[in-house]
Amino acid sequence: MPNEITRISELKNNVDQIRTIGGWVYHSRPGGKVIFLVVRDGSGLCQCVIEKEKISEELFAQLKKLGTESSLTITGLVKKDDRSVGGYELAVSDAKVLCESVDYPITPKQHGIDFLQKNRHLHLRSQTPWCIGKIRHTLVNAIRQFFNDNGFTLIDTPILTGIIGEEAGSLFNVDYFGDTAFMTQTGQLHLECAALSYGKVYCFGPTFRAEKSKTRRHLTEFWMVEPEVAFIDLPGLLEIAENFVSFIVQKVLRDNRAELETLGANIAALEKITPPFYRLTYTQASEILTSKKTQDFLANQLNEFKAAKQEIENKIVALETEAKDAVKQWRQDKIASELIDLRSELAELETKIENNPKHAKLAAEFQWGKDLGGSDETIISLMHDKPIFVTHYPREAKAFYMKQDDENPKVVRNFDMLAPLGFGEIIGGSMREDSLDNLMDKIKEHGYKLENYQWYLDLRRYGSVPHGGFGLGVERTLAWLTGEKHIRQCIAFPRMMDKILL
RNA sequence: UCCCCGAUAGCUCAAUCGGUAGAGCGAGCGGCUGUUAACCGCUAGGUCGUAGGUUCGAAUCCUACUCGGGGAGCCA
């Protein structure tokens, strides 16, 4: 059977031929003597036109009642038709129903996120998750291609680990034959070993954080790619990072323009993503946060939110008034559905209006020495149209392995990369401490047991060299590229705090 | 751990001052040969998250709890 099936994406090469496609009912518009059946097969959508005289009465009756997501093979003449979704349609001569779906839960109307999450196994068939999945595929390929083509060697680091990368308490514990092991939260420490063997390496896999974060930027299981390079300095790392991010963005723009358009992504903004990116030190960033410019920026943003809120409220009142007078039923219905959209937009704006002063306060009261908060990063990000590197954070706010700056011992040679236009952090990285004495001091300062780190310390005993690397979060990057508000849409089966549904 | 918001039909949401539950979609039946979230007519569908309280009367007010959403901290 597979040889007889033509994929919908290939129909354009089969015009005026009889072909059979295999797929699922995406949408059905039955009429008295004609049925418009939109079928999806994973490669695209095709409208199948079924005229009553062309097929048997029994088959016509069966197709007429076919529910959403019923599976079938369907045969007919391929015709080019601009009225049809995808541009091609099938003038049906035969069909075979494989499975009749009754009461498919996901309907063409809106659904809430809770409902869709509970039906994630079916929701994957819908347009938005499908498009995001296609872009994810391109993104993952582009990530591998960039490193493979630039002399990096892939190293698979362990998922079960006995050593901790950063702070404890945010890791998942696993019983390991009576001992405690952890689900990895970074491949970095192991990757450093490999960097001193191969020079340039990367790892790419799932990683786990038990942080109790309920936000649109957090998952407890996510995918991260981490390059690690020997004989490099911080400017060199930034250069790799900006070339890398520019490369993957261009790749997605080239291969997934249609999906980006369907998702409503900001393509014009993505086209600007070329080196060089902006470079700020942490100190400069903190000065920006506490500046009058930022307070004005936020105050201005608040006014824009309020104006938008007023506008929506006016629209709601106007529609409600019209609804009282509107005689025609169809107009009443239209108004009702517009009102629902407007009210949810209004609720979102109200949240923004509520958060804006809190964020303004956090920014204004920012003190040198603290780590940048999520809202601080958002503010810096909003003020730029290209990614921003923030470098040289205070030593106290960062992990023990980050290399102390020679000129200013209060800071480390690290960087975060913030995606622009309000998205926030997608990369964190640093030079690693390569002095044995300094590293031992840091481990002790953090209260860790030196004996757990002997193999890591050996890297500083035998042929230590300046080295560094970074980690890029796949789901965060995908959310930025696609314009998705929440990263749970950016992985097929998201794991979130207190939630493993399926 | 803390702060804010929410829970009404299978789904998305209404219900004015506290006065006894409504619409669309979906489902079922009928009609329609070019529809694009089609349209038209009819039908079925509810212990208003749970437990208390105030009241002549509670979806509406109060308290607690459960579940969900957003945010802080932390982070990719």
Side-chain angles (χ1 to χ4, degrees):
Chain A
M1 186 162 83
N3 292 335
E4 298 163 12
I5 299 290
T6 303
R7 297 215 93 196
I8 289 171
S9 56
E10 287 302 309
L11 290 181
K12 59 177 183 287
N13 301 322
N14 290 273
V15 176
D16 295 328
Q17 307 286 315
I18 304 281
R19 289 291 178 262
T20 299
I21 61 175
W24 298 264
V25 175
Y26 186 76
H27 197 70
S28 169
R29 280 181 291 272
K33 288 176 185 165
V34 65
I35 305 164
F36 297 98
L37 207 60
V38 179
V39 171
R40 59 162 198 90
D41 74 344
S43 79
L45 295 175
C46 176
Q47 175 163 280
C48 302
V49 183
I50 301 142
E51 293 182 42
K52 197 169 184 178
E53 309 90 70
K54 302 274 176 68
I55 60 170
S56 74
E57 210 165 297
E58 299 77 46
L59 185 57
F60 188 85
Q62 188 185 24
L63 294 177
K64 188 170 176 174
K65 291 188 180 223
L66 214 47
T68 306
E69 289 301 321
S70 297
S71 52
L72 76 167
T73 58
I74 189 159
T75 305
L77 187 67
V78 180
K79 287 168 37 178
K80 184 164 171 35
D81 194 317
D82 293 336
R83 289 173 296 186
S84 197
V85 61
Y88 298 87
E89 63 181 30
L90 214 57
V92 174
S93 51
D94 196 13
K96 185 166 186 267
V97 175
L98 304 180
C99 173
E100 290 189 27
S101 298
V102 180
D103 294 344
Y104 186 70
I106 299 175
T107 67
K109 292 281 173 173
Q110 284 181 352
H111 296 283
I113 187 62
D114 191 35
F115 179 81
L116 291 176
Q117 289 289 313
K118 282 179 183 152
N119 289 284
R120 186 65 179 170
H121 55 303
L122 301 174
H123 186 214
L124 285 180
R125 306 177 188 193
S126 301
Q127 196 179 46
T128 298
W130 186 87
C131 286
I132 293 172
K134 281 297 206 185
I135 297 172
R136 182 177 173 121
H137 175 81
T138 302
L139 175 63
V140 168
N141 260 335
I143 287 170
R144 293 189 187 283
Q145 193 191 334
F146 179 86
F147 292 117
N148 292 343
D149 291 354
N150 283 283
F152 287 74
T153 301
L154 173 71
I155 301 296
D156 296 313
T157 52
I159 286 171
L160 288 169
T161 68
I163 192 173
I164 54 173
E166 299 176 17
E167 305 298 325
S170 61
L171 295 122
F172 289 106
N173 290 14
V174 180
D175 176 78
Y176 195 74
F177 305 111
D179 284 334
T180 299
F182 304 99
M183 302 290 281
T184 185
Q185 65 165 352
T186 171
Q188 180 208 318
L189 303 194
H190 295 93
L191 207 55
E192 285 183 52
C193 309
L196 301 195
S197 173
Y198 298 89
K200 292 160 85 174
V201 293
Y202 72 101
C203 67
F204 192 8
T207 191
F208 307 87
R209 306 272 166 97
E211 293 155 4
K212 293 192 173 173
S213 301
K214 276 179 70 171
T215 81
R216 60 184 72 188
R217 318 186 287 287
H218 287 87
L219 294 169
T220 54
E221 177 182 318
F222 64 97
W223 283 64
M224 180 159 72
V225 59
E226 297 174 88
E228 189 76 26
V229 183
F231 292 106
I232 198 160
D233 54 12
L234 187 60
L237 273 181
L238 300 191
E239 212 173 297
I240 292 174
E242 68 191 353
N243 287 333
F244 168 57
V245 169
S246 302
F247 177 80
I248 60 181
V249 171
Q250 295 310 318
K251 211 65 172 158
V252 167
L253 279 172
R254 207 187 62 196
D255 294 355
N256 296 101
R257 190 160 283 261
E259 286 81 12
L260 290 171
E261 278 167 7
T262 302
L263 295 169
N266 190 342
I267 292 176
L270 292 177
E271 278 169 341
K272 287 189 197 158
I273 308 302
T274 52
F277 295 171
Y278 298 106
R279 284 163 168 76
L280 295 174
T281 63
Y282 166 91
T283 303
Q284 288 169 327
S286 68
E287 280 161 6
I288 289 175
L289 285 174
T290 52
S291 70
K292 176 147 192 320
K293 186 185 162 199
T294 296
Q295 294 304 313
D296 289 348
F297 178 83
L298 287 170
N300 187 40
Q301 195 191 37
L302 184 60
N303 286 334
E304 278 170 22
F305 289 156
K306 283 181 176 166
K309 184 187 169 192
Q310 188 61 54
E311 201 176 311
I312 289 174
E313 280 172 342
N314 291 345
K315 272 190 209 164
I316 289 176
V317 171
L319 283 174
E320 281 173 344
T321 312
E322 191 189 337
K324 277 179 197 159
D325 307 329
V327 203
K328 302 216 166 109
Q329 188 58 45
W330 68 267
R331 182 60 195 153
Q332 293 273 9
D333 300 344
K334 184 104 181 155
I335 289 170
S337 99
E338 278 173 31
L339 279 174
I340 288 168
D341 289 345
L342 286 172
R343 286 196 181 108
S344 74
E345 244 180 276
L346 188 64
E348 213 168 290
L349 268 173
E350 276 166 356
T351 308
K352 285 182 181 170
I353 288 169
E354 192 190 316
N355 284 336
N356 174 288
K358 291 184 197 165
H359 294 168
K361 188 161 181 283
L362 282 170
E365 292 171 0
F366 188 83
Q367 286 182 341
W368 200 98
K370 284 197 315 180
D371 205 350
L372 291 178
S375 62
D376 301 322
E377 289 178 344
T378 305
I379 292 165
I380 303 266
S381 163
L382 270 173
M383 297 166 91
H384 294 83
D385 61 352
K386 276 204 215 186
I388 310 102
F389 290 115
V390 184
T391 63
H392 299 90
Y393 281 59
R395 195 160 61 86
E396 288 77 18
K398 287 293 167 183
F400 75 93
Y401 54 73
M402 291 190 180
K403 185 171 173 60
Q404 191 171 309
D405 192 77
D406 291 338
E407 287 144 34
N408 181 0
K410 284 184 172 173
V411 302
V412 287
R413 289 190 185 168
N414 78 311
F415 73 97
D416 281 354
M417 194 184 95
L418 312 181
L421 303 173
F423 188 80
E425 182 175 356
I426 59 173
I427 288 182
S430 74
M431 293 297 293
R432 322 303 187 189
E433 185 53 73
D434 52 64
S435 145
L436 178 64
D437 291 340
N438 286 354
L439 187 58
M440 288 202 292
D441 288 347
K442 300 288 162 48
I443 290 172
K444 285 183 217 154
E445 260 176 44
H446 278 80
Y448 302 153
K449 287 180 189 159
L450 219 45
E451 61 261 34
N452 286 343
Y453 291 86
Q454 284 310 318
W455 63 262
Y456 190 62
L457 289 166
D458 270 355
L459 303 180
R460 279 75 183 167
R461 290 190 181 105
Y462 306 112
S464 188
V465 294
H467 66 287
F470 58 86
L472 171 123
V474 168
E475 291 78 13
R476 282 193 182 177
T477 304
L478 198 50
W480 166 52
L481 294 175
T482 57
E484 261 308 306
K485 289 194 194 91
H486 204 302
I487 64 170
R488 71 183 148 207
Q489 298 281 18
C490 295
I491 186 167
F493 298 99
R495 273 80 182 93
M496 292 179 294
M497 181 185 159
D498 298 331
K499 190 179 289 171
I500 294 190
L501 283 166
L502 61 147

